C-alpha cells in the first residue's frame, strides 16, 4: 500500500483578504485575514510547503523522491491555492516562464479557478481587454482609460475560469466565497492597475505588463463544467493541459472510489472522509504518489484534486 503525505499550508494576508478561509478551514493564525492559503507550492526561498511526515520543504521532497511523482520537470510543476476576497484585487497578468525567470528568478503561471458555491448566480468577470494592437493598448494605458480598455462580461458564479499566461484579469469579492486555484508552479504577478491604492508593497509593473500582455485578447471566457457520476463520485473535470496542470473536483460518498496513474494533491474543502485509511478534513491536503492505485473513500467530502501530465 502506498504511503500518503500531509502538506502543511502557508497562509498569507492581503489588503483585499477576507475571513472565510479561517472560519471554514479552522486555521490558527495571528494574521489580520487569510487572503490566500497556499496548499501546494514549492519555490525555494519564497514559498515552500513543508511535508509533514518528512519535515522537509516540498521542493526538497520532490527532488529527493522523484519516483513518487514520475514526471519529467526538474522542479515540482504545479501549485494549489485557496483565496477569499473581501475587496478588489488589482488588474494584473502572469508572464511567461522565460520572462519571469529572467526578470524575477521564478516562473510565471497558467491557472484556473472555481468557486466553492452551489449558487448559479450571474456575476461580472473581467478578463482580457479591447485593444486590437499594442499601440492602442499602450495609448489607453497612458490615458488611464480603464473602463474602455478592460473587458467585462457576465457569467455564472459556478463557471470554471481558465486564465492563460499573458491574460489580463481582475477579481473582486464580498468575503462570502472561497475560490480554488490550480496552476503551474510560479508566483510572478505584474499589476497594471490597483485602484489608486498607491501601496509601496504592491507596485505597478506597467512595462512588464506591456511586454507580456496578449494582443488581441477578447475571446477568453469562463465556462460551465457539467459533473458526471463514476464509481460513486461526482466528478468535475475542470481542465487537463499537458505541461500546465490537471484540475479535478470530486464529491465523494461512502464506498466511492477514484483512480488515476499520475500523482495527486488532494485538498478537502468540505465534509470529511478517509482515503485508503488516511483521514482528511477541511483545509487539509494529502499528497498521493503516482501509481497508488484505486482510492477508496469512507464519507461525504468535497475534494480539489491537482495533478499533472507531461
Amino acid at each position: 500500500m502506498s504511503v500518503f503525505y500531509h502538506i502543511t499550508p502557508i497562509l498569507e494576508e492581503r489588503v483585499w483578504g477576507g475571513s472565510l478561509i479561517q472560519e471554514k478551514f479552522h486555521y490558527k493564525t495571528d494574521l489580520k485575514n487569510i487572503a490566500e492559503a497556499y496548499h501546494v507550492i514549492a519555490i525555494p526561498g519564497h514559498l515552500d510547503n513543508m511535508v509533514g511526515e518528512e519535515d522537509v520543504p516540498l521542493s526538497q521532497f520532490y527532488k529527493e523522491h522523484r519516483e513518487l511523482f514520475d514526471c519529467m520537470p526538474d522542479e515540482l510543476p504545479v501549485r494549489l491555492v485557496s483565496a477569499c476576497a473581501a475587496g478588489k484585487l488589482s488588474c494584473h497578468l502572469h508572464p511567461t516562464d522565460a520572462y519571469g525567470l529572467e526578470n524575477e528568478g521564478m516562473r510565471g503561471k497558467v491557472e484556473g479557478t472555481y468557486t466553492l458555491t452551489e449558487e448559479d448566480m450571474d456575476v461580472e468577470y473581467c478578463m482580457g481587454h479591447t485593444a486590437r494592437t499594442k499601440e492602442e493598448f499602450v495609448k489607453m494605458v497612458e490615458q488611464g482609460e480603464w473602463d474602455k480598455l478592460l473587458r467585462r462580461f457576465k457569467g455564472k458564479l459556478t463557471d470554471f475560469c481558465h486564465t492563460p499566461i499573458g491574460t489580463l484579469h481582475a477579481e473582486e469579492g464580498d468575503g462570502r466565497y472561497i475560490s480554488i486555484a490550480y496552476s503551474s508552479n510560479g508566483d510572478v504577478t505584474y499589476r497594471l492597475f490597483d485602484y489608486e491604492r498607491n501601496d509601496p508593497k504592491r507596485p505597478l509593473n506597467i512595462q512588464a505588463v506591456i511586454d507580456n500582455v496578449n494582443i488581441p485578447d477578447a475571446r477568453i471566457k469562463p465556462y460551465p463544467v457539467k459533473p458526471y457520476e463514476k464509481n460513486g463520485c461526482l466528478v468535475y473535470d475542470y481542465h487537463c493541459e499537458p505541461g500546465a496542470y490537471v484540475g479535478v473536483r470530486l464529491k465523494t460518498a461512502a464506498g466511492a472510489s477514484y483512480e488515476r496513474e499520475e500523482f495527486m494533491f488532494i485538498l478537502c474543502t468540505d465534509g470529511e472522509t478517509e482515503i485508503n485509511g488516511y483521514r482528511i478534513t477541511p483545509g487539509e491536503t494529502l499528497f498521493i504518489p503516482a501509481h497508488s492505485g484505486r482510492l477508496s473513500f469512507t464519507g461525504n467530502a468535497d475534494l480539489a484534486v491537482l495533478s499533472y501530465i507531461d
Side-chain angles (χ1 to χ4, degrees):
M1 179 181 292
S2 294
V3 175
F4 300 165
Y5 300 84
H6 291 83
I7 307 300
T8 304
I10 298 171
L11 312 178
E12 296 268 301
E13 74 177 54
R14 301 279 188 270
V15 65
W16 47 263
S19 61
L20 190 57
I21 289 177
Q22 185 173 2
E23 295 170 9
K24 188 173 181 62
F25 295 163
H26 306 292
Y27 293 145
K28 295 181 180 180
T29 178
D30 293 327
L31 298 175
K32 294 179 181 178
N33 62 63
I34 300 177
E36 295 177 292
Y38 291 81
H39 305 285
V40 179
I41 192 166
I43 304 177
H46 179 61
L47 295 168
D48 204 353
N49 296 113
M50 294 297 290
V51 180
E53 287 76 3
E54 297 287 309
D55 195 30
V56 298
L58 182 55
S59 60
Q60 178 181 335
F61 181 79
Y62 179 79
K63 290 182 180 298
E64 293 178 351
H65 298 283
R66 294 295 301 276
E67 76 284 356
L68 300 182
F69 294 84
D70 193 20
C71 61
M72 293 176 59
D74 293 333
E75 299 173 341
L76 181 70
V78 288
R79 75 174 210 170
L80 179 64
V81 178
S82 62
C84 177
K88 295 181 178 180
L89 282 68
S90 64
C91 177
H92 56 272
L93 57 69
H94 308 294
T96 63
D97 286 351
Y99 191 99
L101 286 168
E102 180 179 353
N103 292 276
E104 315 298 336
M106 69 180 75
R107 303 177 190 280
K109 61 177 178 176
V110 56
E111 64 182 340
T113 62
Y114 71 92
T115 302
L116 291 176
T117 182
E118 302 299 327
E119 296 182 49
D120 199 24
M121 60 186 287
D122 291 330
V123 292
E124 183 178 77
Y125 287 93
C126 180
M127 295 186 71
H129 58 83
T130 62
R132 293 162 292 184
T133 65
K134 180 161 287 190
E135 292 74 19
E136 187 178 4
F137 182 88
V138 170
K139 181 179 179 181
M140 283 194 277
V141 168
E142 290 176 342
Q143 295 178 354
E145 296 179 319
W146 309 120
D147 289 340
K148 181 179 177 181
L149 174 64
L150 302 180
R151 176 172 167 261
R152 300 181 184 276
F153 51 88
K154 295 291 185 182
K156 295 292 186 180
L157 186 61
T158 50
D159 286 348
F160 184 75
C161 191
H162 176 70
T163 308
I165 283 173
T167 296
L168 273 179
H169 54 290
E171 303 101 33
E172 62 181 277
D174 58 10
R176 293 190 297 152
Y177 305 104
I178 293 173
S179 61
I180 303 298
Y182 311 100
S183 75
S184 52
N185 187 38
D187 200 40
V188 180
T189 295
Y190 289 136
R191 299 181 187 88
L192 177 67
F193 175 62
D194 200 23
Y195 302 94
E196 312 297 339
R197 280 188 277 229
N198 298 316
D199 186 340
K201 297 180 181 179
R202 297 169 58 84
L204 299 181
N205 317 101
I206 293 175
Q207 186 56 54
V209 170
I210 292 170
D211 291 345
N212 286 276
V213 68
N214 297 330
I215 297 177
D217 196 6
R219 299 179 62 183
I220 298 295
K221 283 189 174 182
Y223 51 86
V225 174
K226 186 176 181 179
Y228 59 92
E229 188 171 350
K230 185 176 181 179
N231 297 327
C233 290
L234 196 61
V235 183
Y236 297 73
D237 283 329
Y238 283 127
H239 191 78
C240 179
E241 182 179 346
Y245 68 88
V246 175
V248 177
R249 182 181 187 180
L250 298 178
K251 293 186 177 181
T252 70
S257 64
Y258 182 75
E259 184 174 1
R260 63 181 312 123
E261 286 299 306
E262 299 82 18
F263 72 83
M264 290 175 274
F265 290 94
I266 298 182
L267 164 68
C268 180
T269 63
D270 196 24
E272 63 179 76
T273 187
E274 288 188 2
I275 305 175
N276 292 12
Y278 289 83
R279 184 170 176 265
I280 188 170
T281 62
E284 294 183 326
T285 301
L286 282 177
F287 167 64
I288 315 296
H291 316 301
S292 286
R294 185 175 295 271
L295 303 181
S296 299
F297 305 103
T298 62
N300 298 324
D302 195 346
L303 308 175
V305 180
L306 170 70
S307 189
Y308 178 83
I309 296 175
D310 286 317

